[in-house]
């Protein structure tokens, strides 16, 4: 039922279809039935046709188009560079020899294919389908928005301490430009050390030149008593840290358009160095003893729960799962990118890199052990101890040590920068998606990135003090510990049971479009992992972490952390995972109805979830309301028809 003024207002054929549509609409104060629900007339303000000043049309809400990778190789190299980081060089080889040599590969591959690869595919698929960062992407299930906030917290913690490693690398790289190397026995200052004149009373053995250089010249840890005594900032390291953040800022200034080009160098150069080191190490005396030490199997280690926990932690550490970097990088993909193929390529490449890096590391460590006449186990180390003490000492024994040192630390720098790109991309994408106007204003975007990098630099100054290594170890130990496992566990269960694993698999098939038969078959395996295997293993790992955290103390070298320090670390990890219940409560409070109704509404995807911003057929979008309840009533006036174009094909 319409009056004459209503008909005059419509005035075009498209409106005829709108009046037939089965939606309950108010047209100039009059009702039309929709979905079989009769509605009563509701007073609505009438448009004033006779007024001299026409009513202004409401400005449409435009969807700002997202950037896309310049090519599929940019995305692949960015992900490979993000995953292939320092953990592949200084952590995997050590874990391999400590946990039974070649036997460690068994739990490693099991954890990789049951937890690592399925979660990797889940993150890539979620980001690519939603074309959004780690926070906005949870429009698919608003109840779990806290997962994205938690990922953001983990990314911030990782960026805070990870660039400190790059600063150490800068320091060593600059020190490698002199001959002889300042940590070698050929240096004049180290003649007494190499003759065992100076002893380390705490260790009861001779202090090597590399240990003295690392502890006194680089860290200054000998001047600090512990966590409570950070001491002054070490300004050479502070300048290196500033240079590292300036490089990160410049590389990310234009988003993926700049970082996507940089990875052609930073992601491929480490492979060149590893190949060169493997070839050089194979020609050294004693290298076979190092390789044998790396791969000799100890089958009894399979019964040790620590081995399985180490395998799981290495998978999470190297693949970068649950931090938001993968999700953010995938959000810039084309909608029809084959995400299953990319997952298999990236995870397979990461695994092979970890394995072959062990040959480069232990062949040279074997030569050092042979030259010093000690077992390989006495020279092997992990973490910073391997990268900045054991391996530099081994390089100092090689002919042309300056060249090999420059190559090694340049490789570490490239690996660190690539990983930091991914973490920073997770942070910036999350913020830019929440405040999309920053994408259109280059100046504001640059100011935001500069402010972010400067804030990280200021906070990172704590980690380059005399006692900074104690804070570094604390953040490193707890930022990616139980909090990260809880985040990934909720992500897996939320997608599987709230969003729906069948719907999620269908989304992947929709993206691939021309889905090969093998992709469909592989999805059955991933579906089983997402629903059963992966959550079960994550839960077991979480229980073991809590038991281990309760029974063991945290220490750096001979220093044992006080209880308040360990409690502070637990609070750091809890801050990340506590975002999940906090934002779940917020989502429930935003809904209406009973608690059950609120819960059901908060796990339903928002209407804007399925608006894919990377579609080439959509240049500008009018965003729909986030959620519309049925039956519903919408009041339309004349200016609505001047600002909107009704789709004539929407008739029931």
């Amino acid at each position: 039922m319409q009056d004459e003024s209503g008909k005059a207002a419509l005035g075009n054929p498209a409106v005829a279809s709108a009046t037939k549509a089965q939606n309950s609409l108010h047209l100039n104060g009059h009702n039309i039935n929709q979905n079989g629900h009769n509605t009563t007339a509701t007073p609505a303000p009438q448009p004033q046709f006779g007024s001299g000043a026409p009513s202004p049309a409401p400005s449409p809400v435009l969807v700002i188009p997202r950037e896309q990778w310049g090519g599929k190789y940019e995305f692949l190299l960015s992900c490979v560079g993000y995953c292939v980081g320092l953990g592949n060089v200084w952590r995997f080889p050590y874990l391999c020899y400590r946990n039974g040599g070649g036997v460690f590969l068994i739990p490693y591959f099991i954890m990789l294919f049951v937890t690592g690869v399925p979660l990797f595919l889940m993150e890539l698929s979620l980001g690519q389908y939603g074309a959004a960062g780690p926070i906005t992407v949870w429009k698919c299930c608003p109840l779990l928005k806290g997962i994205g906030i938690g990922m953001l917290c983990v990314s911030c913690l990782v960026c805070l301490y990870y660039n400190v490693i790059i600063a150490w690398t800068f320091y060593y790289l600059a020190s490698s430009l002199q001959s002889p190397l300042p940590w070698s026995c050929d240096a004049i200052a180290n003649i007494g050390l190499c003759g065992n004149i100076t002893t380390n009373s705490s260790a009861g053995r001779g202090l090597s030149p590399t240990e003295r250089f690392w502890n006194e010249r680089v860290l200054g840890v000998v001047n600090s008593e512990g966590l409570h005594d950070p001491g002054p900032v070490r300004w050479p390291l502070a300048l290196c840290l500033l240079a590292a953040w300036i490089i990160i800022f410049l590389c990310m200034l234009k988003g993926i358009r700049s970082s996507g080009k940089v990875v052609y160098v930073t992601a491929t150069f480490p492979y060149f160095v590893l190949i060169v080191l493997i070839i050089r190490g194979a020609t050294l005396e004693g290298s076979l003893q190092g390789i044998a030490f790396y791969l000799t199997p100890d089958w009894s280690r399979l019964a040790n729960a620590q081995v399985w926990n180490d395998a799981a932690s290495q998978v999470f550490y190297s693949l970068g799962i649950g931090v938001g970097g993968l999700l953010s990088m995938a959000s810039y993909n084309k909608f029809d990118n084959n995400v299953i193929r990319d997952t298999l390529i990236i995870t397979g490449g990461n695994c092979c890199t970890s394995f072959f890096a062990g040959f480069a590391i232990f062949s040279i460590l074997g030569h050092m052990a042979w030259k010093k006449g000690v077992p390989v186990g006495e020279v092997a180390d992990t973490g910073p101890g391997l990268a900045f003490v054991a391996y530099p000492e081994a390089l100092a024994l090689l002919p042309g040590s300056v060249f090999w040192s420059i190559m090694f630390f340049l490789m570490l720098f490239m690996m660190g920068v690539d990983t930091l790109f991914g973490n920073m991309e997770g942070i910036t994408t999350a913020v830019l998606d929440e405040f999309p106007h920053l994408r259109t204003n280059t100046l504001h975007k640059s100011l935001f990135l500069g402010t972010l990098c400067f804030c990280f630099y200021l906070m990172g100054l704590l980690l380059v003090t005399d006692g900074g290594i104690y804070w570094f170890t604390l953040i490193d130990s707890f930022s990616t510990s139980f909090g990260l496992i809880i985040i990934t566990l909720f992500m897996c269960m939320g997608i599987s049971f709230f969003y729906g694993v069948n719907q999620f698999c269908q989304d992947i098939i929709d993206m691939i479009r021309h889905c090969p038969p093998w992709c469909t078959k592989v999805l059955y395996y991933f579906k089983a992992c997402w629903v059963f295997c992966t959550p079960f293993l994550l839960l077991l790992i979480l229980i073991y972490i809590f038991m281990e955290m309760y029974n063991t103390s945290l220490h750096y070298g001979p220093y044992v952390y006080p209880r308040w320090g360990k409690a502070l670390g637990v609070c750091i990890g809890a801050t990340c995972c506590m975002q999940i219940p906090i934002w779940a409560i917020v989502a429930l409070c935003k809904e209406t109805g009973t608690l059950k109704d609120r819960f059901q509404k908060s796990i339903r995807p928002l209407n804007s979830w399925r608006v894919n911003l990377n579609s080439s057929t959509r240049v500008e979008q009018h965003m729909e309301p986030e959620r519309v309840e049925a039956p519903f009533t919408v009041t339309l006036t004349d200016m609505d028809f001047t600002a909107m174009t009704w789709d004539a094909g929407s008739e029931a």
Side-chain angles (χ1 to χ4, degrees), residues 110-121:
I110 291 176
M111 290 295 179
L112 178 67
F113 286 109
V114 178
T115 60
V117 179
L119 290 173
F120 195 94
L121 175 62

Side-chain angles (χ1 to χ4, degrees), residues 81-86 158-159 162 317 414-424:
Y82 171 67
C83 297
V84 178
L86 300 174
V158 172
C159 288
Y162 210 88
Y317 192 89
M414 298 288 187
M415 287 182 164
V417 165
D418 273 341
T419 302
L420 203 58
F421 279 162
N423 288 311
M424 286 293 291

